[in-house]
Amino acid sequence: MPTGYDIRLIAPSGYPHAPEAMQRGIARLEAAGHRVDGKEVLDRRVLRFAGTDEQRAADINGLADPARPLPGIALAVRGGYGAHPLLPLLDYERLGTRLRDGTVALVGHSDFTAVQCALFAKAGIVTYGGPMLGADFGAQELDSLTWDHFWRTMASEDGEAAWATDTAADLALDGPLWGGNLAMLASLVGSPYFPRIEGGLLFVEDVAESPYRVERMLYHLLHAGVLGAQHALLVGDFTGYRTAAYDNGYDLDTALDRIAAAAGIPVIRGLPFGHGPAKFTLPFGVPARLVVAGGKATLRFSGHPRPKTP
Amino acid sequence: MPTGYDIRLIAPSGYPHAPEAMQRGIARLEAAGHRVDGKEVLDRRVLRFAGTDEQRAADINGLADPARPLPGIALAVRGGYGAHPLLPLLDYERLGTRLRDGTVALVGHSDFTAVQCALFAKAGIVTYGGPMLGADFGAQELDSLTWDHFWRTMASEDGEAAWATDTAADLALDGPLWGGNLAMLASLVGSPYFPRIEGGLLFVEDVAESPYRVERMLYHLLHAGVLGAQHALLVGDFTGYRTAAYDNGYDLDTALDRIAAAAGIPVIRGLPFGHGPAKFTLPFGVPARLVVAGGKATLRFSGHPRPKTP
């Protein structure tokens, strides 16, 4: 396990709703031998946001400030809502220049996906879908897959993520790995913050979205020419939603079957990524290879940012 | 009150969850002297849909069938979810040709907004955001604004809708009137089914979407270059959502204030349109003028479809 990373907290979205989880996350990271700064972002609270739009944008723009040393890891404290108003406020040009050498890992998921899309689309910056301070590092019980995979990915030149899948087909597909929260992806389609990636391996997850809404969002990506242009769709965790008697047998599997048929691309299920406790740390925008065989899916990727251990 | 219209039921979305409301709607329309056909669509039920994707698409494509007489009004029975899968199945060319003379009024709201967007974007067909069979014509208590305005709009060459608004500014703005359900509009951005309308008067409504989600959808329209290109945003009913202690004072008004500032266009509230009982019948895509003065907003429009009374 690598140690000694400089971790800077950033809060582009909602304010902490569980401050004790944030403190637990900090304690765990420090106990593992890392330095954590930017703790003051945890105290900001404006309406439902972790500070004003300008303050939250400054967390990210601060990475382009030559007067400040770069951290190894910029870690989102939580999701919620708040990334969208920031997107026009980010200094893409200077961020792109300063982060080009791939030694800063920006990490988060959920609402953070919007930031990831924008940084990649506007500046080619590769970030990570992965754990956040509160819900993951600060979870009452730390998930070992989440913890181990995060540090392994930070430290390894060759990334790998493998999981059991019910997909019977044998596949070997190459393409840029990208994705994240489905609602965030869908909410940027048609804007300059949405990356144009073809032939990719697109992963998606969401929370508290009914299957029909998941289908609608995937149809959005399909109708916009995004989904059908990918080599595969990787289905992460979809959690916390309700179905109703009205659904009449329609469920998430139905929705995914319908989308697979409409898009005509392989849909691989079971990826540990999303709002569940176990999640891989997955780079956004690097070359990857997906191999599916014998009920097992394996992603291999390279070229992901790797922070220097000081 | 005009009478004697041929009304054909169409069911592009969910199956009836309240069959008695559908029967009440039919009874009211028939009692008012109209003929209602297509009642068989009420009996279709596949998963959560009013029939297969092909059946539901055929309801609309049937309007392009030269072997069938055209109705005066094609009335959606309800919303729900189901329009998106149909959009690639519609015969835009033949529909455009057959409906060009503006004597068929396609009417609905909610999920139906997706059909309206597509018909306008792909074929220039003007439809109506307005009442549906179940929730409106079949409501336990018929809303008099909804009923009166619908028939008045069907019968009048000059359309008008006026309401009280808290907007203090005096405004007179011209542009195409368009809009509908916000989630449906947002879910088509970047696709060929989303109309390119500039300088318009855009109206939006939604149900069961928290204010932060409404803000996110409006940011989507803004980031995609849609919202800022309009002359005004008209805010209809936003109903059935919950706020939480976490919102910390953030509410729908806050969201709308933030969007008004970000988009730099007038945001006019109070339009009776949406999932509440009182709704205007508003054409999608015709020239209109909005006048706001003395706490009153007035929309005037022309060129909307007007069914022939046989």
Side-chain angles (χ1 to χ4, degrees):
Chain A
M1 197 73 64
T3 190
Y5 285 126
D6 281 317
I7 300 173
R8 186 184 300 168
L9 303 182
I10 59 174
S13 305
Y15 69 80
H17 54 355
E20 70 285 2
M22 299 295 172
Q23 294 310 319
R24 202 157 43 219
I26 291 172
R28 278 211 187 98
L29 292 169
E30 290 179 341
H34 307 289
R35 278 171 299 282
V36 179
D37 74 5
K39 293 174 190 171
E40 66 278 5
V41 304
L42 297 170
D43 298 324
R44 296 187 318 219
R45 183 188 289 210
V46 174
L47 300 169
R48 55 175 296 127
F49 306 104
T52 64
D53 294 350
E54 290 71 21
Q55 284 176 313
R56 293 177 350 263
D59 288 356
I60 296 168
N61 285 335
L63 298 172
D65 179 357
R68 291 182 71 183
L70 281 174
I73 295 165
L75 182 67
V77 300
R78 65 154 307 199
Y81 166 69
H84 291 66
L86 306 191
L87 301 185
L89 307 180
L90 299 184
D91 187 345
Y92 296 99
E93 195 176 329
R94 296 210 309 164
L95 285 165
T97 303
R98 192 131 194 262
L99 302 180
R100 188 152 297 157
D101 71 350
T103 60
V104 180
L106 284 88
V107 191
H109 67 276
S110 197
D111 198 53
F112 190 67
T113 298
V115 173
Q116 298 184 258
C117 284
L119 289 176
F120 189 80
K122 300 276 290 183
I125 297 168
V126 174
T127 59
Y128 285 103
M132 294 195 284
L133 180 66
D136 298 298
F137 293 134
Q140 217 129 31
E141 283 192 53
L142 183 66
D143 186 273
S144 61
L145 181 151
T146 301
W147 180 261
D148 293 345
H149 193 263
F150 177 75
W151 297 115
R152 202 181 327 139
T153 303
M154 292 300 107
S156 313
E157 201 165 336
D158 298 305
E160 182 178 310
W163 69 99
T165 179
D166 59 4
T167 302
D170 283 4
L171 297 168
L173 300 164
D174 295 292
L177 181 64
W178 67 300
N181 181 269
L182 178 57
M184 296 310 109
L185 293 165
S187 71
L188 294 175
V189 168
S191 84
Y193 307 116
F194 192 81
R196 293 176 174 272
I197 296 176
E198 302 210 338
L201 307 170
L202 174 63
F203 59 96
V204 294
E205 64 86 22
D206 220 319
V207 60
E209 296 285 4
S210 301
Y212 79 90
R213 295 177 69 110
V214 172
E215 182 181 318
R216 192 170 72 201
M217 291 189 280
L218 289 169
Y219 260 109
H220 186 184
L221 297 185
L222 180 64
H223 289 341
V226 175
L227 190 58
Q230 304 307 313
H231 282 164
L233 177 69
L234 311 182
V235 180
D237 294 328
F238 284 81
T239 52
Y241 62 82
R242 280 183 290 188
T243 54
Y246 181 81
D247 285 310
N248 188 32
Y250 175 93
D251 59 14
L252 187 65
D253 275 330
T254 319
L256 294 172
D257 289 344
R258 285 167 56 84
I259 284 294
I265 63 169
V267 174
I268 316 298
R269 309 179 198 201
L271 174 71
F273 182 80
H275 283 71
K279 58 177 63 72
F280 289 129
T281 297
L282 299 173
F284 186 117
V286 300
R289 161 161 274 214
L290 172 73
V291 174
V292 180
K296 187 181 165 192
T298 306
L299 269 174
R300 289 195 177 82
F301 51 85
S302 58
H304 46 290
R306 285 186 303 136
K308 294 178 190 143
T309 31
Chain B
M1 198 73 67
T3 190
Y5 286 127
D6 281 317
I7 300 173
R8 186 184 299 168
L9 303 182
I10 60 175
S13 305
Y15 69 81
H17 53 357
E20 71 284 3
M22 299 294 170
Q23 294 310 319
R24 201 157 44 220
I26 292 171
R28 278 212 187 98
L29 292 169
E30 290 180 341
H34 308 290
R35 278 170 300 283
V36 179
D37 74 6
K39 293 173 191 171
E40 65 279 4
V41 305
L42 297 171
D43 300 322
R44 296 187 318 220
R45 182 188 291 209
V46 174
L47 301 169
R48 55 177 294 127
F49 306 103
T52 65
D53 294 350
E54 291 71 22
Q55 284 176 314
R56 295 179 346 264
D59 288 356
I60 296 168
N61 285 336
L63 299 171
D65 179 357
R68 292 181 72 182
L70 281 174
I73 296 166
L75 181 67
V77 301
R78 66 154 306 199
Y81 166 69
H84 291 66
L86 306 191
L87 301 185
L89 307 179
L90 299 184
D91 186 347
Y92 296 100
E93 194 176 331
R94 296 209 309 165
L95 285 164
T97 304
R98 192 132 195 260
L99 302 180
R100 188 152 298 156
D101 72 349
T103 60
V104 180
L106 283 87
V107 191
H109 66 276
S110 197
D111 197 53
F112 189 68
T113 298
V115 173
Q116 299 184 259
C117 283
L119 289 176
F120 190 80
K122 300 275 291 181
I125 297 167
V126 174
T127 59
Y128 284 103
M132 294 195 283
L133 180 67
D136 298 297
F137 293 135
Q140 218 130 29
E141 282 192 54
L142 184 64
D143 186 273
S144 60
L145 180 151
T146 300
W147 180 260
D148 293 347
H149 192 263
F150 177 74
W151 297 113
R152 201 180 327 138
T153 303
M154 293 300 107
S156 312
E157 202 166 335
D158 298 305
E160 183 178 308
W163 68 99
T165 180
D166 58 4
T167 302
D170 282 6
L171 298 167
L173 299 164
D174 295 292
L177 180 65
W178 67 301
N181 181 268
L182 178 56
M184 297 309 110
L185 293 165
S187 71
L188 295 174
V189 168
S191 84
Y193 307 116
F194 191 81
R196 294 178 173 272
I197 296 175
E198 301 210 337
L201 307 169
L202 174 64
F203 59 96
V204 294
E205 64 86 22
D206 221 318
V207 62
E209 297 285 4
S210 301
Y212 80 88
R213 296 177 68 109
V214 172
E215 181 181 318
R216 192 170 71 200
M217 291 189 280
L218 290 169
Y219 260 109
H220 186 184
L221 297 184
L222 180 63
H223 288 341
V226 176
L227 190 58
Q230 305 306 314
H231 282 163
L233 177 69
L234 310 181
V235 180
D237 294 328
F238 284 80
T239 52
Y241 63 81
R242 281 183 290 188
T243 55
Y246 182 80
D247 285 310
N248 188 32
Y250 176 92
D251 59 13
L252 187 65
D253 275 330
T254 318
L256 294 171
D257 287 345
R258 285 167 55 84
I259 284 293
I265 63 170
V267 174
I268 315 298
R269 309 179 198 203
L271 173 72
F273 182 80
H275 282 71
K279 60 177 61 70
F280 289 129
T281 298
L282 299 173
F284 186 116
V286 300
R289 160 161 277 214
L290 172 73
V291 174
V292 180
K296 189 180 163 192
T298 307
L299 270 173
R300 290 197 176 80
F301 50 86
S302 58
H304 46 290
R306 285 186 304 134
K308 293 177 191 144
T309 31

